[in-house]
Amino acid sequence: MVLGSLAAVSGLAVGWSLLPVRQRLTGHTPPPVASGQMPFNGWVAIDGQGMVTVLMPKSEMGQGTHTGLAMLLAEELDADWASVRIGEAPVDPIYNNLATVVDGLPFHPDDTGLLKQFAGWMTAKVMREVGVMMTGGSSSLKDLWLPMRRAGASARAMLVGAAAQQWGVSPEQITVASGRVSHASSGRSLGFGELAQAAGRLPVVQDPPLKPASAFKLIGTPQLRLDSVAKSNGLAGFGIDMQRPGMRVAAVRMAPDSGGQVASMDAAAAQKLPGIRAVLTVPASHGGSGAVAVIADTWWQAHRALDQVQIRWQPGPAAGLSSGSITTQLQAALASGKAHAFRTVGDVESAMQQAARRVQAEYRAPYLAHAPMEPMNCTVQVDADQATVWAPTQVPDLARAAVAQITGLDAKRVTVHVPFLGGGFGRRLDVDFIAQASFIANAVRGVPVKTIWSREDDMANDFYRPACVARFEAGLDARNQPVAWQLRTAGQAIIPAYAKRVLGLSVPGPDKTTSEGAFDQPYEFAACRIEHAAVELPVPIGFWRSVGHSHQAFFKECFVDEVASAAGQDPVAFRAAMLARHPRHLKVLQRAAALGQWGSRLEPRDGMRRGRGVALHQSFGSIVAQVVEVSVDASGALQVDRIVCVIDCGQAVNPNLIAQQVDSAIVYGLSAALHGDITLADGRVQQSNFHDYRVLKMAECPPVQTEIIASSEPPEGVGEPPLPPVAPALANAVFAATGTRLRSLPLRLS
């Protein structure tokens, strides 16, 4: 009986696995449309004036996602772009992010085997049912390239169907353009608004034909962002701007070391201050630390009152830890024999033994904070049988689950609204601040409470980019050609830590993010071995913009330059020789070199030494090459003079957005390369604000020249790929200017 049941289940599982991914056009949850709007599917609604509302499941945190995605739908709908606006999508499985998880599988981009295809297929199917509604991984346009277009095409077909019925003509005789449906032979024409009610009642068209690229009118054009005006005149609503009738504001003081708790507190003095409504102890939750919260009429009242609370802390697991002891543990992991090999080609040991020359180097990268301009905040109102949340989050469904867990409410009774995010960079993939805000609001049910962290709270209670160390060895033959490449890195693994604190899951197996940017690159080595040793440490870590690529690109591209120098070869030519089977990468590299005037002399200026450096890196599906020009003064201070960036990201949906994101990623990456460093002493983060965790000022930002390679391939990532090449291109430029190799971040000569 048991065997028979297992066989039946197995048969059902096999049958299910052979079916296509379930449709992403209509969901279980009705879209929250306004009065007068007619929903056509889970992605678009049209009102009587012809206003097209694109229901958006992705968070807008400055990257322009709302504009780019709306363009996809408007293209297939043939809408008037001036009549397009953004609405909020509900939590529903049709909005689950499939692309990020599929891309997270530990396969090399060159792998076209059946195992990779099947694994991707199955992962997409599973994520469609039980995945996460997430904005991250530079995946928004890639993930919704087809769903948004199908939603627009479906609505267009329904509008055409309604007009055909009304006019008694064949749908094939009808054309659509700029928000109007027309019948040329009779001269009749109706706007979308005039047809919306009738069209929205028709059956949803599930498999509409899509336009060929040759018919695109909107996709590929440099449209202005839909949020530009609101963000220019101050009307844009960020989470920290939230105002509700009767709202109170909470400030928090968290344990000084990660994972610490409140042992005891005396709030008598604080409770006597004006405007103070409550003082409470908040337990650690979802990876965060314990805290004391003060609820008051204003945030400043609450923040000042915290100084009057006497708190005794219970140390967390990071107590006593220092940056020096962390480095010692990482280096010990490099020396141990325990590591997972993410890529092995040929016989590395034999090739290395036969090499005429070996080149070795060790690199280091520190912990980094996200430091978004808008610190962590969340507004929550908990009533008797429901809760409403206004959270600047990248994961609204996980936010909803966290609130339900804290308040004891059913998740379906929790409504999450996502305002604009004042930066995310991966920090808002975590929900610790949302769980904390829910606990605070739950203590005063019926009253909306906005919890705001100070910058110091934010800096000391982040989930940091992991510190990492790398040890390279390369072998050159008698002709100075590379014959062997070996890399071992050591650092913490993000995905197991994230899954445990946010999802409550134990995730076995290797974490691709530990070695991405190292094992998945295009260079054609005859023999290579690339491995990572995962190290467990009590420092909280999370997804930082470009994740593992952020440091692995620095390691890899700097060492490529070292080997080229040892071989007596030009860095660009050396890379090009290893890209014979990768024409797209070679094209990007050579175009960047041409734009960057590679090979021409940089004359000294004002007594400063000058140099150019290059880096090539693939991440999130996109290929990026950069050439950086740097000047170095007598004290060793670095001045970045110019950056050329060439990117192949597939179809350029909106060139304006791409150029903006290139600028953003480069400035963010340069800030980290020049200044970024989170250090610990006795378990406590030493940096507290932007005076000791610097970001580039406007006057320090170099001119950036961006070129987008024309492509008909589907769109790939943009927000993260321009970041990884910045640090190595700069470090290589410093070597060209000074002859000094910088193998640790941040880059410092003096």
Side-chain angles (χ1 to χ4, degrees):
M1 177 67 72
V2 173
L3 291 175
S5 298
L6 288 174
V9 170
S10 298
L12 289 172
V14 171
W16 178 79
S17 71
L18 295 175
L19 294 173
V21 176
R22 198 137 63 95
Q23 61 86 24
R24 299 176 70 186
L25 195 57
T26 54
H28 303 301
T29 309
V33 296
S35 176
Q37 290 183 331
M38 174 60 71
F40 282 65
N41 48 57
W43 304 87
V44 61
I46 303 175
D47 68 13
Q49 285 68 51
M51 185 65 69
V52 176
T53 298
V54 180
L55 300 169
M56 192 62 62
K58 302 295 185 182
S59 302
E60 178 57 74
M61 44 193 167
Q63 78 278 42
T65 286
H66 285 184
T67 301
L69 291 174
M71 288 175 67
L72 301 183
L73 190 145
E75 175 69 73
E76 296 289 350
L77 180 60
D78 278 314
D80 177 3
W81 181 242
S83 298
V84 175
R85 64 183 180 184
I86 302 299
E88 192 172 0
V91 173
D92 193 276
I94 65 167
Y95 307 120
N96 288 347
N97 190 317
L98 311 189
T100 291
V101 185
V102 172
D103 286 349
L105 296 172
F107 293 98
H108 194 282
D110 292 347
D111 187 345
T112 57
L114 291 177
L115 177 60
K116 179 181 179 180
Q117 295 178 40
F118 179 74
W121 180 267
M122 285 297 297
T123 299
K125 285 177 62 64
V126 172
M127 290 301 102
R128 164 60 176 83
E129 308 304 321
V130 296
V132 177
M133 188 173 161
M134 178 186 73
T135 306
S138 284
S139 64
S140 293
L141 266 72
K142 178 176 183 175
D143 184 52
L144 299 183
W145 169 245
L146 291 179
M148 275 289 186
R149 292 175 61 202
R150 285 170 178 155
S154 176
R156 181 185 187 279
M158 294 163 68
L159 288 163
V160 168
Q165 288 183 3
Q166 183 170 329
W167 295 334
V169 301
S170 169
E172 288 74 19
Q173 299 174 4
I174 292 175
T175 58
V176 185
S178 299
R180 296 198 67 81
V181 181
S182 304
H183 184 244
S185 60
S186 65
R188 287 175 289 190
S189 177
L190 291 171
F192 283 2
E194 298 169 282
L195 289 165
Q197 291 297 318
R201 295 189 183 96
L202 295 176
V204 174
V205 178
Q206 290 292 339
D207 294 302
L210 301 180
K211 292 181 180 179
S214 59
F216 289 162
K217 298 176 182 176
L218 193 59
I219 292 175
T221 61
Q223 300 296 320
L224 296 177
R225 290 172 56 145
L226 296 175
D227 56 358
S228 293
V229 173
K231 287 182 175 178
S232 299
N233 62 21
L235 293 179
F238 293 83
I240 205 167
D241 299 324
M242 183 55 57
Q243 296 293 328
R244 303 296 300 169
M247 187 179 76
R248 308 299 181 203
V249 187
V252 293
R253 178 151 298 160
M254 284 171 274
D257 53 270
S258 176
Q261 298 273 15
V262 178
S264 64
M265 74 165 182
D266 181 352
Q271 289 171 327
K272 296 176 183 178
L273 296 174
I276 303 305
R277 302 288 177 166
V279 183
L280 59 149
T281 298
V282 184
S285 178
H286 293 75
S289 298
V292 169
V294 175
I295 304 174
D297 294 339
T298 70
W299 184 83
W300 186 242
Q301 289 174 329
H303 181 65
R304 291 296 297 271
L306 283 167
D307 293 334
Q308 303 302 315
V309 182
Q310 302 299 311
I311 310 171
R312 185 170 63 86
W313 299 104
Q314 177 182 325
L321 201 63
S322 70
S323 293
S325 64
I326 290 170
T327 299
T328 299
Q329 292 185 61
L330 296 180
Q331 289 179 320
L334 281 183
S336 74
K338 299 178 181 178
H340 175 78
F342 281 86
R343 183 166 174 78
T344 301
V345 176
D347 188 339
V348 178
E349 288 75 13
S350 175
M352 202 70 75
Q353 289 173 2
Q354 296 175 31
R357 183 179 181 185
R358 297 188 188 186
V359 184
Q360 297 175 328
E362 185 172 307
Y363 287 82
R364 299 180 190 176
Y367 290 105
L368 293 177
H370 295 83
M373 289 295 103
E374 179 192 25
M376 298 300 103
N377 68 89
C378 180
T379 302
V380 183
Q381 179 171 340
V382 183
D383 296 310
D385 61 348
Q386 64 181 0
T388 307
V389 184
W390 294 266
T393 178
Q394 296 174 243
V395 281
D397 53 347
L398 297 183
R400 183 177 74 166
V403 176
Q405 179 181 338
I406 295 297
T407 61
L409 295 169
D410 187 290
K412 294 180 180 179
R413 305 296 298 170
V414 177
T415 302
V416 176
H417 299 289
V418 182
F420 288 132
L421 282 60
F425 315 121
R427 175 60 179 95
R428 288 179 162 99
L429 290 169
D430 270 280
V431 296
D432 56 311
F433 64 101
I434 297 170
Q436 182 192 76
S438 301
F439 183 92
I440 295 168
N442 197 45
V444 288
R445 287 199 169 199
V447 178
V449 180
K450 176 165 61 176
T451 299
I452 304 175
W453 291 15
S454 68
R455 174 62 58 193
E456 289 75 15
D457 294 325
D458 202 318
M459 197 70 69
N461 293 274
D462 204 343
F463 295 97
Y464 305 97
R465 197 281 304 276
C468 192
V469 295
R471 186 169 294 162
F472 284 94
E473 184 174 21
L476 297 170
D477 64 16
R479 297 179 296 111
N480 280 324
Q481 298 301 309
V483 293
W485 180 275
Q486 189 161 281
L487 166 64
R488 172 176 288 190
T489 56
Q492 292 166 265
I494 297 172
I495 288 179
Y498 181 85
K500 183 177 180 180
R501 68 177 177 255
V502 178
L503 305 174
L505 299 175
S506 294
V507 178
D511 175 1
K512 177 191 173 183
T513 67
T514 60
S515 190
E516 65 183 3
F519 84 94
D520 50 2
Q521 295 306 297
Y523 296 129
E524 299 152 6
F525 300 113
C528 74
R529 182 177 177 85
I530 299 168
E531 55 190 8
H532 180 84
V535 180
E536 292 191 11
L537 292 166
V539 181
I541 56 169
F543 300 100
W544 191 88
R545 191 172 187 174
S546 77
V547 203
H549 295 278
S550 66
H551 49 276
Q552 292 287 5
F554 170 69
F555 302 156
K556 179 256 304 176
E557 284 299 294
C558 285
F559 190 63
V560 167
D561 253 46
E562 285 208 51
V563 179
S565 179
Q569 297 185 37
D570 173 81
V572 170
F574 187 75
R575 286 171 170 82
M578 296 188 292
L579 296 171
R581 298 190 299 276
H582 291 82
R584 288 180 68 184
H585 298 78
L586 183 59
K587 181 178 181 179
V588 171
L589 174 67
Q590 292 177 334
R591 185 58 184 154
L595 291 176
Q597 298 174 302
W598 190 263
S600 65
R601 178 176 170 78
L602 275 173
E603 297 293 338
R605 184 179 59 204
D606 299 326
M608 296 198 295
R609 295 165 290 176
R610 304 179 68 205
R612 285 193 189 93
V614 66
L616 171 72
H617 195 76
Q618 178 177 353
S619 63
F620 305 95
S622 293
I623 306 161
V624 179
Q626 291 175 5
V627 173
V628 171
E629 294 179 7
V630 69
S631 296
V632 184
D633 69 15
S635 70
L638 307 181
Q639 175 183 303
V640 182
D641 299 323
R642 177 181 180 234
I643 296 179
V644 167
C645 180
V646 176
I647 181 170
D648 181 344
C649 56
Q651 171 71 58
V653 174
N654 185 332
N656 276 355
L657 298 181
I658 296 172
Q660 291 166 10
Q661 281 303 286
V662 167
D663 288 350
S664 168
I666 285 176
V667 170
Y668 198 76
L670 270 182
S671 295
L674 292 169
H675 309 299
D677 193 5
I678 289 292
T679 56
L680 284 85
D682 196 24
R684 300 182 179 185
V685 171
Q686 300 300 288
Q687 290 70 29
S688 62
N689 211 313
F690 290 122
H691 70 285
D692 53 9
Y693 191 83
R694 287 186 56 197
V695 297
L696 286 190
K697 298 176 182 177
M698 290 292 287
E700 298 174 298
C701 295
V704 176
Q705 180 181 354
T706 299
E707 182 167 303
I708 305 164
I709 298 293
S711 175
S712 59
E713 297 293 324
E716 297 285 355
V718 171
E720 296 175 274
L723 187 152
V726 174
L730 175 56
N732 292 336
V734 171
F735 173 77
T738 68
T740 300
R741 289 285 178 195
L742 298 179
R743 299 188 180 93
S744 295
L745 292 169
L747 301 172
R748 291 169 181 157
L749 274 171
S750 55

